[in-house]
Amino acid sequence: MIKGLEKGLFEGAKERLLELASIEPGAEIIGVTGSSRFEDYSWDFGWGRPNKVEFTGNARGGVISLARSREGNGGVEIGLALKRHEMENLVSFFVNDLKNFAQISK
């Protein structure tokens, strides 16, 4: 699909849309938004640089976002939005893995 964009943004759009619409029911879809190439923290609309940049599309869940770090040191901020129960499971696994790692490292 991406290579198809070289021909033109809307060329074949109807076919691509129909292809996306044919995703099997119950399939998990994760969206990715943003880019570490955008300088989100350098924007200044007269109030100074932003303290925090977040992507509003993440509110619905199932989305990963990327942004260049505020410090501009080559770092990347990664945002992850999941449904509440999925996020709670992820946090639980993450905390338990950190505890296990700390015990192994002793």
Side-chain angles (χ1 to χ4, degrees), residues 40-85:
D40 303 315
Y41 284 103
S42 67
W43 302 340
D44 186 344
F45 298 102
W47 306 291
R49 290 178 39 203
N51 292 324
K52 179 70 177 147
V53 174
E54 293 189 22
F55 296 91
T56 58
N58 289 7
R60 70 175 183 264
V63 178
I64 298 170
S65 64
L66 303 172
R68 184 178 291 186
S69 76
R70 185 176 199 283
E71 289 77 30
N73 58 4
V76 176
E77 293 181 10
I78 301 172
L80 175 64
L82 300 170
K83 294 175 183 163
R84 180 178 295 275
H85 71 279

Side-chain angles (χ1 to χ4, degrees), residues 91-103:
V91 168
S92 173
F93 293 136
F94 185 75
V95 169
N96 287 332
D97 284 347
L98 282 179
K99 288 178 183 175
N100 292 336
F101 181 74
Q103 290 175 355

